[in-house]
Structures are given as C-alpha cells and as structure tokens.
Amino acid sequence: MMNVVAEEPRSTYENFEVEKDIYYFKVGKAGMVSFHGRNYNIKKNVSTEQLNRYITSGQFVKVSSNCYVNAGKVLSVTDGLICFDRSCSETKQVHVPKWRQHSVKSLLSARKPMAM
C-alpha cells in the first residue's frame, strides 16, 4: 500500500507565483504593486530589488509608465487593448497607448508568435 501525502491547497492570496499566475501588474507609490490575475487583484509591498527582478527577467513587457504585462499570458493585442482570456472581458484586458502598441506587439510576437 502506498501512502500519499495530500498537498495543502495553495492560497492564491498568500503565495502566488508572479511569473505563472499574474496577467499584469501595476507599480504604485512606495513599493506598492497591484498584481492582477485570472480571478483576483492583490496589492503587496514589493522591495525595489524584487521589482527589478520581475522587470529585467524578460517575462514582463512594459506597456505604460507603471504597467507591465506577462508576455506568456497575452492572447491578443488589438485596437489598443491587450487581452488575456478568450472572452476579452473588461477585467482581463489592459489598455496600451496607440503610439506604443506597435512596439509592444513586436516584442510579444518575438516571444509568442501565435498571440498576434
């Protein structure tokens, strides 16, 4: 007989993985970062070093002065909007300025050609 240790359910609010779980994040004042995922928004204080690791990892693409999207989670970029799910509901999209849309599209297509 084999004993299997049941894993404790993972609490999204306490220990989420930024690279896997987050669609995008917005940087606020004094180290406050607002993480946006599939069914949640979480605000956390993040150290400058940790924030720089997220930004320089190449996983996130800057779309505005304080907003970074997870390149691996983007489904489409159209009409100034970045969508993360099939329904493209308002809660799962990020506005990208028209003047920046082309550069964001080219960065994302280099990483994930199917998204464009």
Side-chain angles (χ1 to χ4, degrees), residues 12-45:
T12 303
Y13 294 102
E14 293 174 9
N15 55 359
F16 59 92
E17 294 181 49
V18 173
E19 291 80 6
K20 291 182 180 179
D21 299 332
I22 300 302
Y23 287 159
Y24 63 97
F25 66 86
K26 293 184 177 184
V27 181
K29 294 180 180 178
M32 185 63 71
V33 178
S34 178
F35 296 99
H36 300 265
R38 183 170 174 239
N39 294 320
Y40 55 87
N41 300 328
I42 301 170
K43 287 187 178 182
K44 289 181 80 172
N45 281 322

Side-chain angles (χ1 to χ4, degrees), residues 48-105:
T48 304
E49 295 81 24
Q50 185 62 45
L51 184 58
N52 285 335
R53 272 186 255 142
Y54 295 149
I55 294 169
T56 59
S57 70
Q59 180 72 29
F60 293 93
V61 175
K62 185 175 186 174
V63 295
S64 67
S65 62
N66 68 339
C67 184
Y68 297 82
V69 298
N70 188 337
K73 299 287 185 176
V74 173
L75 286 182
S76 66
V77 180
T78 54
D79 299 325
L81 294 174
I82 296 175
C83 295
F84 299 98
D85 65 1
R86 295 264 180 238
S87 66
C88 204
S89 65
E90 285 185 26
T91 59
K92 301 303 171 225
Q93 60 189 12
V94 173
H95 176 0
V96 58
K98 294 280 186 184
W99 62 270
R100 189 175 272 184
Q101 182 173 331
H102 179 70
S103 62
V104 169
K105 245 182 172 177

